[in-house]
C-alpha cells in the first residue's frame, strides 16, 4: 500500500470516484456531482485557494484506490482564531485501520511541515461547508450539504487517537403547522419594533449577497469554529446554490429604515434529486433534476440569525414563522434544522419550542500533532 499526493487529472478522477466503491451497497448514500468536487480542487475556480492551501492524497493498494484524504491549511481560521490548527476533509476509506492510519499520518505530516499543532476534522474546506462525521441518528439519506459516512469512520478516527473537539446536532420537524404562540406573537413583534419580513429579491441578487455576508459575519462571529467568508467565497457558494434557492425561503428581517438585521435560509432538500443522478448532470441529469425537483417535500434550514443587538426580542420568531408558512405554500412538509452546536442551548431551546427533536449527531475531532 502507498499514499500518493494527487497531482494529475487521472489521479484526481480516482480521488473523486472512490466513494462509488465505498458506498456501492448503501442505499442511503447520495452521490455528489462530479463536476462540483472537481471544481472544489481547481485552484482557478474555488476561492478558498486564494488564501489557503489544500493537498489531496490517495491511498492505493496494489494500484487500486482504497482511501483518500485532503490536508487543509485554512489561513483565515489561523488568523481569526489565533491558533495553529490545520484540518482534514474529504476522508473516505475502506474498513481497514492500516489504510486509515496511513492517510491520517500523511495529512498530519503535511500539516506539521507548516508548523500546525493540531489536526481537526473532517471539514471541507471550512465549517462553512460540509462538516463532521455522523456519529448517531435515524436512518435515511443525508440532507443537502450534510455529512454522511459509515459508522466505522468514527472507530478509525478514535483508534488513531482523535478526541472530540465539538459535537453538532441536527433537529427534525415533521409538522408544517406553526405553533400558536408564533402566530399570535408575530403581529405584536412587528408592531412593537417596526420590523418586517421580506423575501430575497432576485432582481437585486448582488446587493442581497452583500447583505447576507454582512449579517452572517456579524451574527455568527462568536460561534465556535466560525470563519468569516470572503466576498469571493460568498459569491461562489451563491452561484452553486442559486439554482435551488427559493426566494421565499431566503428571508430577511428589515428595520423601519430598511436596514436588514436578520436572515434565514431554507434549502429544498435537493439530495432527493441527486440520489437519482449518480453524480452526473448530463446527458439526462438535467431532465431528472427538473422532474424530481418539483416533488421535493423536505427542506433544511441552513442558517438563521440576527445581529446581536436585536436578539432576545422574539424577532427570530418571524423568521421561523415565515419559513414554515412559505415552505408549506410550496409543498414542504418536513424540515431539518442543522447544524447546531450541542452546547448552544439558546438556539436548541428555540428549536425545541417548535417541536424539533434531535435525530442525528455529528462530531469534529482533534488530534495533537
Amino acid at each position: 500500500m502507498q499514499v500518493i499526493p494527487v497531482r494529475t487529472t487521472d489521479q484526481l478522477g480516482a480521488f473523486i470516484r472512490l466513494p462509488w466503491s465505498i458506498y456501492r451497497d448503501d442505499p442511503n448514500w447520495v452521490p455528489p456531482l462530479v463536476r462540483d468536487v472537481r471544481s472544489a480542487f481547481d485552484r482557478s475556480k474555488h476561492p478558498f485557494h486564494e488564501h489557503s492551501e489544500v493537498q489531496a492524497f490517495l491511498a492505493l493498494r496494489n494500484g487500486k484506490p482504497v482511501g483518500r484524504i485532503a490536508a487543509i491549511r485554512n489561513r483565515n481560521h489561523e488568523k481569526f482564531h489565533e491558533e495553529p490548527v490545520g484540518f482534514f476533509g474529504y476522508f473516505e476509506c475502506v474498513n481497514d485501520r492500516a489504510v486509515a492510519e496511513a492517510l491520517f499520518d500523511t495529512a498530519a505530516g503535511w500539516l506539521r511541515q507548516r508548523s500546525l499543532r493540531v489536526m481537526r476534522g473532517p471539514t471541507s474546506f471550512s465549517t462553512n461547508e460540509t462538516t463532521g462525521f455522523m456519529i448517531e441518528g435515524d436512518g435515511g439519506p443525508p440532507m443537502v450539504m450534510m455529512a454522511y459516512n459509515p459508522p466505522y469512520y468514527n472507530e478509525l478516527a478514535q483508534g488513531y487517537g482523535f478526541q472530540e473537539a465539538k459535537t453538532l446536532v441536527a433537529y427534525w420537524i415533521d409538522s408544517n403547522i406553526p405553533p400558536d404562540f408564533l402566530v399570535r406573537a408575530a403581529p405584536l413583534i412587528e408592531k412593537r419594533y417596526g420590523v418586517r419580513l421580506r423575501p430575497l429579491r432576485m432582481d437585486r441578487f448582488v446587493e442581497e449577497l452583500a447583505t447576507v455576508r454582512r449579517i452572517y459575519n456579524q451574527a455568527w462571529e462568536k460561534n465556535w469554529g466560525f470563519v468569516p467568508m470572503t466576498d469571493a467565497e460568498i459569491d461562489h457558494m451563491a452561484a452553486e446554490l442559486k439554482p435551488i434557492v427559493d426566494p421565499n425561503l431566503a428571508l430577511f428581517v428589515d428595520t423601519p429604515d430598511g436596514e436588514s438585521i436578520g436572515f434565514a435560509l431554507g434549502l429544498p432538500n435537493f439530495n432527493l434529486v441527486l440520489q437519482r443522478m449518480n453524480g452526473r448532470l448530463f446527458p439526462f441529469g438535467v431532465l431528472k433534476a427538473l422532474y424530481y425537483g418539483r416533488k421535493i417535500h423536505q427542506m433544511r434550514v441552513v442558517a438563521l440569525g440576527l445581529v446581536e443587538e436585536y436578539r432576545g426580542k422574539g424577532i427570530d420568531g418571524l423568521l421561523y414563522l415565515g419559513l414554515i408558512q412559505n415552505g408549506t405554500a410550496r409543498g414542504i412538509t418536513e424540515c431539518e434544522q442543522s447544524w447546531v452546536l450541542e452546547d448552544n442551548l439558546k438556539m436548541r431551546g428555540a428549536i425545541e419550542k417548535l417541536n424539533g427533536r434531535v435525530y442525528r449527531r455529528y462530531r469534529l475531532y482533534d488530534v495533537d500533532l
Side-chain angles (χ1 to χ4, degrees):
M1 187 187 67
Q2 59 177 331
V3 178
I4 62 170
V6 172
R7 304 290 190 197
T8 70
T9 300
D10 287 345
Q11 290 167 348
L12 180 59
F15 180 95
I16 293 171
R17 300 297 304 187
L18 176 66
W20 271 259
S21 63
I22 301 290
Y23 297 96
R24 62 179 174 269
D25 298 320
D26 189 337
N28 292 321
W29 179 60
V30 178
L33 287 177
V34 170
R35 69 168 194 177
D36 288 350
V37 184
R38 191 175 297 278
S39 174
F41 286 90
D42 188 330
R43 290 175 173 81
S44 67
K45 292 183 178 179
H46 199 294
F48 183 82
H49 302 286
E50 295 174 3
H51 57 76
S52 296
E53 295 177 70
V54 179
Q55 178 59 58
F57 295 95
L58 193 61
L60 304 173
R61 177 181 284 143
N62 298 324
K64 178 183 176 181
V66 289
R68 74 179 197 184
I69 199 169
I72 303 162
R73 181 179 189 179
N74 188 337
R75 288 194 177 89
N76 283 0
H77 178 98
E78 293 172 44
K79 186 184 304 182
F80 187 81
H81 292 278
E82 297 182 344
E83 60 178 5
V85 172
F87 296 85
F88 77 90
Y90 290 91
F91 178 85
E92 302 287 0
C93 185
V94 296
N95 192 3
D96 186 318
R97 186 167 175 173
V99 177
E101 288 185 353
L103 289 167
F104 289 138
D105 278 346
T106 302
W110 188 90
L111 295 171
R112 195 179 290 114
Q113 290 173 359
R114 286 150 181 82
S115 301
L116 298 168
R117 299 181 181 178
V118 173
M119 180 165 68
R120 178 174 299 160
T123 183
S124 50
F125 291 124
S126 72
T127 54
N128 296 317
E129 301 179 53
T130 304
T131 296
F133 283 146
M134 183 175 171
I135 59 173
E136 63 181 42
D138 293 0
M143 295 288 279
V144 60
M145 295 178 66
M146 288 298 287
Y148 183 78
N149 54 269
Y152 68 78
Y153 280 17
N154 292 283
E155 299 168 11
L156 294 176
Q158 291 164 7
Y160 185 75
F162 279 99
Q163 302 292 321
E164 175 187 357
K166 214 66 169 180
T167 297
L168 321 171
V169 296
Y171 279 89
W172 186 252
I173 302 174
D174 57 9
S175 171
N176 60 342
I177 300 175
D180 288 342
F181 76 89
L182 269 187
V183 178
R184 292 195 305 269
L188 300 177
I189 293 169
E190 289 175 335
K191 183 176 180 181
R192 180 173 183 179
Y193 299 107
V195 295
R196 67 182 182 88
L197 202 64
R198 68 169 179 84
L200 174 76
R201 294 175 293 218
M202 296 297 287
D203 59 336
R204 300 176 61 183
F205 194 73
V206 174
E207 296 173 32
E208 297 283 62
L209 280 184
T211 301
V212 170
R213 179 174 183 266
R214 174 180 58 80
I215 295 173
Y216 179 78
N217 287 342
Q218 289 180 31
W220 276 266
E221 68 174 347
K222 294 183 179 179
N223 279 12
W224 180 91
F226 167 81
V227 180
M229 295 185 75
T230 66
D231 288 342
E233 286 173 324
I234 284 279
D235 291 345
H236 180 81
M237 183 172 287
E240 288 191 325
L241 296 180
K242 190 174 181 179
I244 65 171
V245 166
D246 182 333
N248 292 308
L249 299 178
L251 302 176
F252 295 85
V253 177
D254 288 355
T255 63
D257 61 5
E259 179 189 4
S260 297
I261 49 88
F263 175 70
L265 175 62
L267 287 178
N269 184 22
F270 201 69
N271 275 6
L272 296 173
V273 178
L274 287 181
Q275 263 199 313
R276 301 172 181 272
M277 296 168 63
N278 199 32
R280 299 288 184 184
L281 270 179
F282 302 101
F284 304 114
V286 173
L287 296 177
K288 290 181 180 179
L290 291 173
Y291 176 76
Y292 290 108
R294 295 193 294 267
K295 299 176 178 292
I296 293 176
H297 65 286
Q298 298 174 341
M299 76 172 174
R300 176 187 166 210
V301 178
V302 178
L304 189 149
L306 299 166
V307 297
E308 191 168 10
E309 64 186 285
Y310 288 92
R311 297 174 195 163
K313 304 178 187 297
I315 297 174
D316 58 331
L318 299 179
L319 292 167
Y320 284 118
L321 182 61
L323 288 174
I324 294 170
Q325 292 176 333
N326 292 357
T328 298
R330 70 156 284 163
I332 300 292
T333 58
E334 298 173 333
C335 169
E336 176 182 298
Q337 183 147 353
S338 60
W339 47 263
V340 182
L341 293 168
E342 189 177 50
D343 55 8
N344 186 346
L345 301 183
K346 286 186 177 180
M347 175 64 79
R348 294 187 62 184
I351 300 171
E352 286 166 10
K353 287 181 180 179
L354 302 174
N355 300 316
R357 65 176 178 88
V358 174
Y359 85 120
R360 288 174 180 167
R361 280 185 165 82
Y362 303 82
R363 181 158 293 161
L364 279 161
Y365 290 99
D366 277 359
V367 69
D368 188 0
L369 297 181

